[in-house]
Amino acid sequence: MNDMHAGFHICHEPGSDAHAPPLLLLHGTGGDEHDLMAFGRRIAPASSLLGVRGRLLEGSLTRWFRRHGEGVFDLADMAERATELAAFIGSAAQRFGWTRAPIAVGYSNGANIAAGLLMHHPGVLGGAVLMRVMNGLSPSPGLDLAGTPVLLLSGRHDPLAPPASRALLVAALEEAGAAVDQQTTAAGHGLEVGDAEAAGGWLAGIATA
Ligand code: MLT
């Protein structure tokens, strides 16, 4: 179902199991609310799926937050947009009757805003799959993400997200107590079949944990 919710374009597909964690699907730069729906269904056959469209436009490209250049983020804007998205999630949870916090599944710019949500609004997400993330946020003192499961899927040949671009994020997540898993494959910046396999296996594992 395509619709607007709280000012965001959304695409929702109900799940078949109310106990399966809902997925919040966050596209990369230039994408939309439909981009990750098939991916989400593949990795979580029984979950409620919610694809959302970023509201910022860079030229004609949709995004989740501003940047000054490739990989140079406007961290203040990211924090503000993460706060907007956190409010949206609360209201979507009511509308769709979610009984647990969603797992964000974000790609590229969508992974970066998902990381911003974890860092600025702990508790809003039940966990996150961060694909090709390159978030440079510094740790906030006292951040508590105890037990929050986070999976990073990275590409060894990703020119946009070299290992150093996520080192701070991983350190901050671990320092805050998140349960961080990381897989790096021979991929580049684009998604590959292996990403769905890895994300699906990881989700099945956290659902039974
Ligand atoms: C970003 O701006 O979030 C990253 O550079 C990745 C992208 O190009 O979207």
Side-chain angles (χ1 to χ4, degrees):
M1 182 235 347
N2 299 315
D3 201 358
M4 292 291 290
H5 182 80
F8 286 85
H9 287 270
I10 59 165
C11 179
H12 178 256
E13 222 180 85
S16 53
D17 175 0
H19 301 292
L23 299 192
L24 179 79
L25 304 166
L26 305 171
H27 62 78
T29 297
D32 70 22
E33 63 277 24
H34 303 290
D35 282 15
L36 292 171
M37 294 299 288
F39 184 92
R41 184 50 75 222
R42 179 151 180 213
I43 66 173
S47 287
S48 168
L49 303 181
L50 186 62
V52 191
R53 189 191 304 178
R55 289 202 290 201
L56 179 69
L57 279 179
E58 183 188 81
S60 59
L61 299 179
T62 49
R63 282 182 58 82
W64 293 99
F65 59 87
R66 272 179 231 292
R67 61 180 165 181
H68 302 297
E70 182 60 60
V72 187
F73 298 156
D74 180 337
L75 296 178
D77 188 60
M78 180 199 268
E80 265 179 49
R81 308 252 174 195
T83 299
E84 278 176 18
L85 195 53
F88 164 85
I89 292 168
S91 132
Q94 286 193 350
R95 171 168 170 182
F96 297 113
W98 294 343
T99 53
R100 53 195 287 190
I103 307 284
V105 176
Y107 167 62
S108 190
N109 186 236
N112 295 337
I113 193 71
L117 272 172
L118 288 169
M119 304 283 269
H120 291 293
H121 296 280
V124 164
L125 296 178
V129 179
L130 307 177
M131 301 184 289
R132 314 298 187 266
V133 70
M134 48 177 299
N135 185 306
L137 282 176
S138 315
S140 336
L143 178 68
D144 183 4
L145 288 168
T148 303
V150 180
L151 173 65
L152 276 79
L153 295 176
S154 307
R156 198 169 300 119
H157 306 296
D158 185 346
L160 298 182
S165 70
R166 50 186 180 273
L168 249 187
L169 173 67
V170 170
L173 291 171
E174 287 181 339
E175 170 83 25
V180 180
D181 284 307
Q182 296 195 62
Q183 287 189 35
T184 303
T185 64
H189 195 66
L191 292 182
E192 300 200 352
V193 174
D195 291 298
E197 284 161 9
W202 179 85
L203 271 178
I206 63 163
T208 53

